[in-house]
Amino acid sequence: MVDQVRSMESRVGRKNQRYGSKGERLVAGVVPLSKDKSLVMMIQSAGRGGWVLPKGGWETDEASAQQAACREAWEEAGVICTVLRDLGTISDMRPSTMLTSNSPRASYQFFEVTVDREEDRWPEMHKRRRQWVTYTQAAAALASRPELLEALNRSSMKR
């Protein structure tokens, strides 16, 4: 397989963002697992500082949510990954009081992936750290993000 050229620029803004039939923002993400599935890679949230899974908007120039998810894994975590399986769609579980024009309701499409390579340099390395953690550590970190916890729980990560 030939490596695609990977940009060192992160995509910003929402002008190419895809939206669903109910106006929800379509978000693609990954649950990045070690080869033996005992660890998951988490990244620092750019906004809130906590630890999250790599995810972001599925854009109009991307043929599939899977393509968008792998791009997000590259931009946010600096990893090259292989998709193992589609974890399905997960609805946004935030109460309506937490929704804003900058953070509208979303629909999440997550994929279980294995990390093939961790690069030393990646687009968002200046604003995000990454770390490998156990299921217990990840579940605790995602307690306030039920849609991300649901993606983790749908994965085949070792508990």
Side-chain angles (χ1 to χ4, degrees), residues 46-87:
R48 304 184 332 171
W51 292 91
V52 295
L53 297 170
K55 61 167 178 27
W58 174 14
E59 299 194 353
T60 53
D61 65 339
E62 293 170 309
S64 66
Q66 180 173 321
Q67 184 182 353
C70 290
R71 174 184 52 78
E72 289 293 340
W74 163 246
E75 288 180 2
E76 296 186 348
V79 298
I80 311 304
C81 57
T82 299
V83 173
L84 299 177
R85 63 193 186 101
D86 185 336
L87 297 175

Side-chain angles (χ1 to χ4, degrees), residues 48 94-100 103-104 144:
R48 304 184 332 171
R94 291 175 297 167
S96 55
T97 53
M98 288 185 69
L99 303 175
T100 66
S103 185
S144 65

